[in-house]
Amino acid sequence: DAGVIQSPRHEVTEMGQEVTLRCKPISGHNSLFWYRQTMMRGLELLIYFNNNVPIDDSGMPEDRFSAKMPNASFSTLKIQPSEPRDSAVYFCASSVVSQPQHFGDGTRLSIL
Amino acid sequence: SQQGEEDPQALSIQEGENATMNCSYKTSINNLQWYRQNSGRGLVHLILIRSNEREKHSGRLRVTLDTSKKSSSLLITASRAADTASYFCATDAIGNSNDYKLSFGAGTTVTVRA
């Protein structure tokens, strides 16, 4: 089992650019979560999906953030346009509904 | 929002000593989970304790849950250098049966000195 796979591992870009983060959940998991981790705010849930359907996006900070899950094996988190305050580590996690979550190793995003 | 709050924020111990950290939460829960995060890595699930359980063991880990005080503790016995990490508690709130999101605390950073 390869675990949750996130790409890229690191992203450095200039403010105003579009950023797309990618996640491949563990096969058979039907829940997928996107988190953001910063020193100031800790680990924040941005959005989660059950069976590819967004259930709760109340954590998405603003309209510049969007997430999609076109199929059970792929999800994207997009920021457009990006701002320096979006700099953080973004994690994707997956699980079988109500079971412990499995995290990827994250994407470290730096917006200059 | 962060429902779980860990205490202490940081802990430094000698190899072989025990490490204890606490978690307090605000609302009624179905279960409470503990996760570990090594530097530069994602969180790894350690142990889950259900609201009707009071204590659970897994290897060198011991977790207690006191729902009357809305608190939990994680004990790592005979610590090793490899236990150096941040430890987070996470809770899911009783409510909508379709709502399985977790609220994570700010974490306890544990340093085990050789």
Side-chain angles (χ1 to χ4, degrees), chain A residues 8-23:
Chain A
R9 286 298 313 276
H10 303 273
E11 174 93 10
V12 181
T13 191
E14 294 185 346
M15 68 176 292
Q17 297 297 306
E18 178 179 290
V19 173
T20 299
L21 311 181
R22 297 173 175 79
C23 176

Side-chain angles (χ1 to χ4, degrees), chain A:
Chain A
D1 191 340
V4 176
I5 299 173
Q6 292 188 245
S7 63
R9 286 298 313 276
H10 303 273
E11 174 93 10
V12 181
T13 191
E14 294 185 346
M15 68 176 292
Q17 297 297 306
E18 178 179 290
V19 173
T20 299
L21 311 181
R22 297 173 175 79
C23 176
K24 178 178 169 54
I26 292 173
S27 177
H29 284 189
N30 54 1
S31 293
L32 183 138
F33 307 81
W34 282 102
Y35 293 90
R36 178 173 68 178
Q37 187 177 40
T38 62
M39 289 294 292
M40 289 296 295
R41 300 174 67 89
L43 193 66
E44 303 173 279
L45 176 65
L46 301 177
I47 185 171
Y48 78 99
F49 298 81
N50 278 351
N51 297 315
N52 312 338
V53 176
I55 302 300
D56 185 346
D57 66 354
S58 60
M60 297 285 261
E62 46 197 278
D63 291 345
R64 297 184 297 106
F65 286 69
S66 63
K68 293 182 180 179
M69 191 164 187
N71 57 62
S73 59
F74 184 66
S75 177
T76 60
L77 178 68
K78 189 171 292 188
I79 308 172
Q80 166 64 16
S82 58
E83 297 182 2
R85 60 193 167 115
D86 301 331
S87 297
V89 182
Y90 290 81
F91 288 102
C92 175
S94 71
S95 74
V96 174
V97 168
S98 81
Q99 295 301 304
Q101 296 178 18
H102 297 252
F103 282 72
D105 280 336
T107 295
R108 184 172 295 276
L109 178 64
S110 296
I111 308 296
L112 306 177

Side-chain angles (χ1 to χ4, degrees), chain B residues 2-113:
Chain B
Q2 293 177 349
Q3 163 157 244
E5 294 293 334
E6 288 92 343
D7 168 58
Q9 287 187 327
L11 185 58
S12 181
I13 56 173
Q14 200 71 30
E15 201 166 28
E17 293 180 339
N18 296 342
T20 300
M21 60 211 85
N22 304 296
C23 169
S24 60
Y25 57 91
K26 298 184 178 68
T27 61
S28 296
I29 60 173
N30 292 310
N31 62 62
L32 184 144
Q33 303 177 40
W34 285 91
Y35 288 78
R36 183 189 72 230
Q37 183 179 31
N38 291 92
S39 180
R41 304 297 299 274
L43 280 72
V44 174
H45 178 259
L46 294 175
I47 196 165
L48 180 152
I49 186 166
R50 302 194 185 284
S51 59
N52 61 353
E53 297 176 312
R54 292 296 167 258
E55 187 170 314
K56 202 161 184 179
H57 297 253
S58 176
R60 294 184 296 111
L61 305 180
R62 173 177 169 256
V63 169
T64 63
L65 179 64
D66 187 335
T67 53
S68 66
K69 295 181 180 178
K70 291 187 169 59
S71 67
S72 173
S73 67
L74 171 66
L75 168 68
I76 305 172
T77 60
S79 62
R80 305 167 182 169
D83 295 328
T84 294
S86 293
Y87 293 82
F88 296 86
C89 67
T91 55
D92 67 341
I94 288 178
N96 186 339
S97 60
N98 292 320
D99 191 350
Y100 298 111
K101 63 185 179 184
L102 296 177
S103 294
F104 285 84
T108 294
T109 299
V110 175
T111 302
V112 181
R113 305 186 305 273

